[in-house]
Amino acid sequence: MSEHGGDGAGLDENLCVPACERCPELVRSRSRIVDGVGPTDADLLFVGEGPGATEDEEGEPFVGRSGDVLDEALRDAGLARADVRITNCVRCRPPDNRDPTTEELGNCRGYLEAEIERLDPELIVTLGKVPSEHLLDRSVAITSESGDVVDARLAGESRRLLLSVHPAATLYDRSQRDGFFETIVRAAELSGVGERDEKGGDGQSRLGEF
């Protein structure tokens, strides 16, 4: 199904996967393929683990409670969801919300790398332990490494990654909230995405309101 090199690896012009049945268990558990959302030329890309029940139902990554936290952090950083691209390591919901297996991550890796290659973002933010370890190919102590900027070789190119805890972590451990929000502000600054909006006259909205 994949095409050679970076020609798209099964993605359409919207960076979506029209059809895939590589992972039998995920095909059985999903309602639909949950593709990334946001501009297909976004400079800031967020990568999560995989769809949960709400994402599977609505067909969009990071909706529900964790999505509310992410949206709030984006607003705090002077961004909107429409300014960024949000995707996942696997595009189908694992049964019982379990972590995707190594095989499932590998089956979906070509789609993610093709999305990154076509998008060519300034910065990739990994939301949580699974995407961080998947893209860096090493173990990650995400609580202590959150906020770190590292380089990773993806699809043959060096890419800049900003590691972050998952937004859901702030719901279970309120002490992680400030650090998560600071990481998203840093993502806006490193990618340069927030600067354009500030020049439009709304630059004071991100400071002092919260």
Side-chain angles (χ1 to χ4, degrees):
M1 166 155 181
S2 76
E3 301 160 19
H4 63 280
D7 289 347
L11 299 185
D12 65 17
E13 67 276 6
N14 296 314
L15 307 183
C16 295
V17 178
C20 182
E21 301 200 346
R22 292 179 186 176
C23 306
E25 232 186 311
L26 299 195
V27 170
R28 286 195 298 272
S29 70
R30 75 186 183 199
S31 300
R32 70 194 81 209
I33 295 172
V34 180
D35 289 299
V37 293
T40 56
D41 60 352
D43 285 331
L44 181 54
L45 172 66
F46 291 90
V47 180
E49 177 181 327
T54 311
E55 287 79 9
D56 178 71
E57 187 180 313
E58 298 190 18
E60 182 170 334
F62 284 94
V63 290
R65 291 179 71 204
S66 64
D68 289 342
V69 175
L70 178 59
D71 288 346
E72 187 182 345
L74 288 170
R75 285 195 301 272
D76 198 31
L79 301 176
R81 184 176 273 248
D83 297 326
V84 303
R85 181 97 182 161
I86 306 172
T87 195
N88 280 311
C89 292
V90 298
R91 294 173 186 246
C92 301
R93 181 197 178 193
D96 302 317
N97 282 353
R98 64 161 171 76
D99 287 348
T101 66
T102 302
E103 183 180 8
E104 288 160 356
L105 287 164
N107 285 343
C108 222
R109 176 75 177 226
Y111 298 138
L112 180 59
E113 290 203 354
E115 186 170 17
I116 291 169
E117 187 175 358
R118 297 245 299 264
L119 198 66
D120 194 24
E122 291 291 327
L123 182 72
I124 299 168
V125 181
T126 54
L127 294 171
K129 185 180 182 70
V130 169
S132 301
E133 294 189 337
H134 183 52
L135 292 184
L136 290 179
D137 195 26
R138 65 169 173 83
S139 63
V140 173
I142 192 60
T143 305
S144 58
E145 293 188 55
S146 184
D148 289 357
V149 179
V150 296
D151 288 320
R153 194 118 190 116
L154 300 172
E157 282 194 43
S158 182
R159 300 283 181 185
R160 194 166 51 154
L161 269 61
L162 174 61
L163 307 185
S164 173
V165 297
H166 194 283
T170 69
L171 298 170
Y172 309 122
D173 180 0
R174 295 286 294 182
S175 70
Q176 299 206 41
R177 182 178 168 88
D178 287 349
F180 175 71
F181 274 59
E182 287 164 10
T183 299
I184 303 306
V185 169
R186 189 166 188 218
E189 291 168 349
L190 288 171
S191 63
V193 174
E195 295 170 5
R196 288 161 229 160
D197 298 330
E198 286 179 30
K199 287 173 188 154
D202 195 29
Q204 285 146 357
S205 64
R206 78 148 102 181
L207 297 172
E209 281 188 12
F210 294 89

